[in-house]
Amino acid sequence: MTAMLPTLDHKQLSRAIGLLDEEWLAHDPDLGPVMPLVLGRGVGQDWHKAGTFRHHLIGVARTLTLWQQPKHVRQLGLLHSVYGNAHVDLMKFDPKSERGRLQEAVGEDVERLIHLFCVMSRIEFLSELFKGHLTSEGSLTITLQGQPFVLPARDVAAFIVVSMADICEQWYSWQDDIYMGYPDYKPQPAQQHWAAALWPGPMRPTTYRWGQISRLGNFLQHPALKDQLPQPPVFDHGRKVMEPGDEAAAAALYWSVMQQSQPLMSPNATAAVLEQAIKLNPWVAEPYMVLSQLHMTERNFELGQAYAEAGVQTAACWGNSWDKRIGWDGWMSWGRVLLQSAQKRQWPETLNKLNNVALTPEL
């Protein structure tokens, strides 16, 4: 199985390491000048799904930066919900009176994209894509202010990539429940489903949204969209689509390990479960890392290194975590500790020494 594991791309890893410190944003020539304007609207105080609105906006921009997207897409990602939208009652800029303020900051074209992404129905956008309504020219017809509106290929590509980053930054089991079936969900009464409403819930990985990300990435293989933007380095650069059943099963298998639902006196069953989860969903980092630690605990450093490398490489391609109990920077740091320890053929033999592990400068 190790022959099929992802291997380390040092250029991608270097890009990811550069985004681990918060200072990266202030020094970014495209995003840094815009940040004071955004922070001045109190985004660090607003709740948002897995953190704050600031956390969300920066997380989306971080993923788009890792994906080497151009300036207009990254600025759209950083500001993609500042006018509010149907899913968030946050309006950091008034679209009736402050569009000129954003136009001065990012230019008319980027502001147009931001405004359109806020006022259009994202549910309809995804639904029309998933129904196969993308034209041969790469355009997509949606409804805007009660009238048909044609999104040109350039806008479709930008909205697809930002939607991919938007989903991967925020989605986990709590949203699986309150939006089950998204984009074709039906609102459910909160009083009747009070348990599902309790935030943040158990924070299991999503059972279906990463598969939708894979489908979105695959749309970018469309002849009219393929050269619009750099292809995100996930799901084999958009060439692979994950089946819904595989995603749900992989998430359940992984979570059974996290909940210690496997035999505790031998690691064999746990390793087998993780291997099956990876087989079903090889596109997320965390199962690789958990299996790496398991192998190193058993002093199998060769397998530990292979799985650590796969985990670090996969995490470095996302910029956000799948298992959102821990943030992306935490998983990246842990994965690098695992990889370096495996390379040195060293791992703690007592539980208390796990608290001591640390990365040394060479990785």
Side-chain angles (χ1 to χ4, degrees), residues 69-84:
Q69 295 302 307
K71 177 180 179 179
H72 73 280
V73 175
R74 297 196 306 130
Q75 288 185 337
L76 168 61
L78 182 65
L79 300 165
H80 70 276
S81 291
V82 296
Y83 288 132

Side-chain angles (χ1 to χ4, degrees), residues 4-26:
M4 302 175 63
L5 295 178
T7 55
L8 208 57
D9 177 342
H10 289 278
K11 289 184 179 180
Q12 186 68 26
L13 177 59
S14 179
R15 281 191 286 269
I17 291 173
L19 302 182
L20 286 172
D21 295 320
E22 289 195 5
E23 289 77 12
W24 77 268
L25 197 57

Side-chain angles (χ1 to χ4, degrees), residues 80-337:
H80 70 276
S81 291
V82 296
Y83 288 132
N85 62 68
H87 300 307
V88 181
D89 294 336
L90 287 170
M91 185 183 293
K92 309 313 295 184
F93 291 86
D94 188 339
K96 295 181 180 179
S97 61
E98 294 190 287
R99 292 190 63 182
R101 184 82 181 274
L102 273 191
Q103 287 171 359
E104 292 177 0
V106 297
E108 292 186 4
D109 179 57
V110 175
E111 190 279 332
R112 176 192 65 81
L113 288 170
I114 295 167
H115 181 262
L116 181 55
F117 197 63
C118 288
V119 300
M120 76 178 195
S121 169
R122 298 183 193 174
I123 291 176
E124 184 185 18
F125 175 71
L126 293 181
S127 294
E128 291 301 302
L129 283 172
F130 293 155
K131 290 174 184 176
H133 292 171
L134 197 61
T135 69
S136 59
E137 293 81 22
S139 64
L140 188 73
T141 300
I142 61 172
T143 304
L144 191 65
Q145 298 178 342
Q147 300 295 323
F149 183 87
V150 178
L151 294 171
R154 179 178 182 269
D155 292 3
V156 171
F159 292 164
I160 285 176
V161 172
V162 171
S163 295
M164 293 170 68
D166 185 36
I167 295 167
C168 85
E169 191 286 325
Q170 64 176 291
W171 208 277
Y172 59 101
S173 59
W174 185 71
Q175 286 173 294
D176 267 9
D177 284 333
I178 66 171
Y179 279 128
M180 181 50 68
Y182 191 95
D184 301 317
Y185 74 96
K186 295 181 180 180
Q188 302 294 327
Q191 188 172 10
Q192 180 180 345
H193 298 284
W194 60 269
L198 295 177
W199 183 84
M203 296 195 76
R204 298 183 308 273
T206 176
T207 58
Y208 71 99
R209 285 291 258 165
W210 247 248
Q212 292 187 354
I213 296 174
S214 74
R215 294 177 66 188
L216 290 172
N218 190 247
F219 286 127
L220 294 174
Q221 294 290 317
H222 186 288
L225 300 182
K226 194 169 186 178
D227 297 325
Q228 292 285 340
L229 295 171
Q231 180 71 45
V234 294
F235 298 106
D236 192 19
H237 291 82
R239 289 184 285 265
K240 299 292 177 59
V241 174
M242 183 163 54
E243 294 298 324
D246 289 349
E247 180 178 11
L253 290 168
Y254 172 80
W255 196 247
S256 75
V257 171
M258 294 296 95
Q259 296 301 298
Q260 298 184 340
S261 298
Q262 310 303 325
L264 300 182
M265 296 306 292
S266 169
N268 295 339
T270 296
V273 168
L274 287 169
E275 288 172 1
Q276 187 64 23
I278 289 168
K279 182 179 179 181
L280 292 168
N281 181 1
W283 311 110
V284 294
E286 293 84 339
Y288 292 121
M289 294 187 191
V290 177
L291 188 51
S292 169
Q293 182 183 353
L294 188 62
H295 283 307
M296 288 206 294
T297 301
E298 292 296 296
R299 324 317 290 172
N300 189 336
F301 292 106
E302 184 176 351
L303 279 177
Q305 181 174 337
Y307 282 103
E309 186 171 325
V312 171
Q313 171 62 22
T314 306
C317 290
W318 279 107
N320 281 288
S321 58
W322 175 67
D323 181 344
K324 289 185 166 32
R325 297 174 302 158
I326 301 294
W328 175 76
D329 52 352
W331 280 112
M332 275 293 299
S333 299
W334 179 245
R336 293 169 71 207
V337 165

